[in-house]
Amino acid sequence: MSFKEHPPLAEKSFALHVPVLLDATLDNLSPKEGDSYLDLTAGYGGHARAVLNLTKNLKESYLVDRDSFAISKLQDLKDSGVNILHRDFLSAAEFLVEQEIKFDLILADLGVSSPQLDRAERGFSFKKNGPLDMRMNRDQDKTAADLVNKLPASELLRIITTYGEEPRGSANRIVKAIIDNRPFTETGQLAEVILKTHKGKYQKTHPATRTFQALRIAVNDELLQIENLLPLLPKLLNKGGRVGIISFHSLEDRLVKKYFKQQFDSGFEADLAPITKKPIDGSIEDVHNPRSRSAKLRVAVKK
């Protein structure tokens, strides 16, 4: 099955963001006409438009995103009858469970969308200088600058080693450099300070990569959100319904893998059964999309 066979609704909006592992997602979710669809991280609608072109069930489908800019890019789908929820995926899932609304298909793409990374003013990337922000929901108060400038060294070290998986030695150097050079207001300023702590030459990965990942996760409470979301998924699925989760780093994938394994090992008590026994690797299955290099897709079905 090729994406080209399923041109997305409102293709001009889709151009903002090339969805990762799209063909693999369509193959494993197997959307068919009439299916209801929940996209917990709709972004700019890349996956959703392709799925909805196949299901043609707009009124029973929900698209969720915490980013107001993303929500604005889904207006055409809203006008077509799709339900749009401007909230984070955990609170949206909790709301839908309370309403006892269930779906045939659920997708959660846990990555940061291309426009968030590419727009300097969002402050996610050290490649383009901008304010040290990193909020997925710009209505929240906490920013990356707040963490960098206000947290004690011990908490910064915990965040960088736990969420960035930065080795202790380099993490200590980074934290000391942050403390010695704050306050920080821009991404470029922070990246430059981190670069100066690096010993020797670096290859493909900029020395600030792990710290920026760690700060983004901390600002947006990403791992706690995922951990609390997972047990809600069976409650949101119809019998025979499928859920796909795309993760982008080991911390996310570890949570998803652990939850799915617990389900699959529970025998008759399990709510979910595997569709993909091993994760689908974006570096192999979606080689033409650079955003897919670290992506992993896991899919399960409601028993």
Side-chain angles (χ1 to χ4, degrees):
M1 183 184 296
S2 169
F3 164 67
K4 292 180 180 179
E5 297 172 32
H6 307 290
L9 297 165
E11 192 164 353
K12 62 181 180 180
S13 297
F14 174 83
L16 282 166
H17 175 55
V18 179
V20 303
L21 286 168
L22 179 56
D23 286 345
T25 299
L26 294 175
D27 284 343
N28 286 278
L29 286 184
S30 299
K32 62 183 184 299
E33 190 166 341
D35 281 347
S36 55
Y37 174 62
L38 169 61
D39 194 319
L40 286 163
T41 50
Y44 305 93
H47 290 102
R49 296 174 196 280
V51 170
L52 292 172
N53 264 293
L54 293 170
T55 66
K56 306 188 188 312
N57 185 354
L58 305 184
K59 292 185 179 181
E60 291 185 295
S61 295
Y62 283 72
L63 307 186
V64 177
D65 209 279
R66 69 169 87 181
D67 186 338
S68 57
F69 182 73
I71 291 294
S72 72
K73 298 303 175 184
L74 300 173
Q75 184 62 45
D76 63 305
L77 292 173
K78 182 178 180 180
D79 293 342
S80 298
V82 179
N83 300 281
I84 307 293
L85 297 180
H86 181 198
R87 54 204 305 174
D88 64 76
F89 57 71
L90 176 58
S91 67
E94 291 170 337
F95 166 75
L96 292 166
V97 168
E98 288 173 3
Q99 299 298 310
E100 298 184 347
I101 300 173
K102 296 186 178 184
F103 300 89
D104 301 308
L105 307 170
I106 298 176
L107 178 65
D109 173 357
L110 302 175
V112 182
S113 64
S114 302
Q116 286 175 332
L117 288 172
D118 295 340
R119 289 162 63 92
E121 67 269 24
R122 298 305 301 272
F124 283 98
S125 175
F126 48 79
K127 295 179 181 178
K128 296 182 179 181
N129 191 40
L132 196 53
D133 192 326
M134 301 193 191
R135 293 172 298 170
M136 292 183 181
N137 179 359
R138 288 181 285 182
D139 293 331
Q140 77 175 43
D141 294 327
K142 180 175 64 178
T143 68
D146 292 327
L147 302 186
V148 168
N149 294 324
K150 298 176 183 178
L151 290 180
S154 59
E155 183 62 8
L156 282 173
L157 184 63
R158 184 192 70 81
I159 287 172
I160 293 171
T161 55
T162 302
Y163 297 155
E165 299 182 289
E166 185 74 58
R168 176 73 58 159
S170 55
N172 276 316
R173 293 194 300 271
I174 290 169
V175 169
K176 184 179 185 305
I178 288 174
I179 299 296
D180 290 345
N181 288 277
R182 58 189 190 185
F184 293 86
T185 58
E186 297 181 334
T187 57
Q189 179 190 8
L190 177 60
E192 183 63 27
V193 165
I194 294 173
L195 179 60
K196 289 178 180 178
T197 71
H198 186 71
K199 294 184 177 181
K201 296 182 179 180
Y202 69 92
Q203 300 296 320
K204 294 181 180 180
T205 304
H206 191 285
T209 300
R210 293 190 181 98
T211 298
F212 271 64
Q213 172 185 295
L215 291 171
R216 192 201 80 219
I217 290 172
V219 166
N220 297 290
D221 295 321
E222 293 177 36
L223 296 182
L224 183 61
Q225 287 246 329
I226 295 168
E227 193 169 8
N228 291 331
L229 168 69
L230 292 169
L232 299 178
L233 294 175
K235 300 177 183 179
L236 290 167
L237 281 170
N238 290 318
K239 184 176 181 179
R242 299 186 175 205
V243 56
I245 303 178
I246 302 173
S247 59
F248 286 82
H249 55 75
S250 60
L251 296 173
E252 292 174 341
D253 187 57
R254 199 173 299 152
L255 290 173
V256 179
K257 178 182 178 180
K258 179 182 177 182
Y259 176 72
F260 276 7
K261 186 176 187 304
Q262 288 172 343
Q263 281 287 317
F264 304 157
D265 291 347
S266 297
F268 291 112
E269 297 181 359
D271 293 309
L272 301 176
I275 295 294
T276 55
K277 294 187 177 180
K278 293 183 178 180
I280 295 173
D281 191 330
S283 65
I284 298 171
E285 298 295 332
D286 198 7
V287 295
H288 299 297
N289 185 353
R291 303 286 191 194
S292 295
R293 282 177 299 191
S294 61
K296 287 182 169 58
L297 169 66
R298 297 180 186 271
V299 182
V301 60
K302 175 77 174 286
K303 295 173 67 176

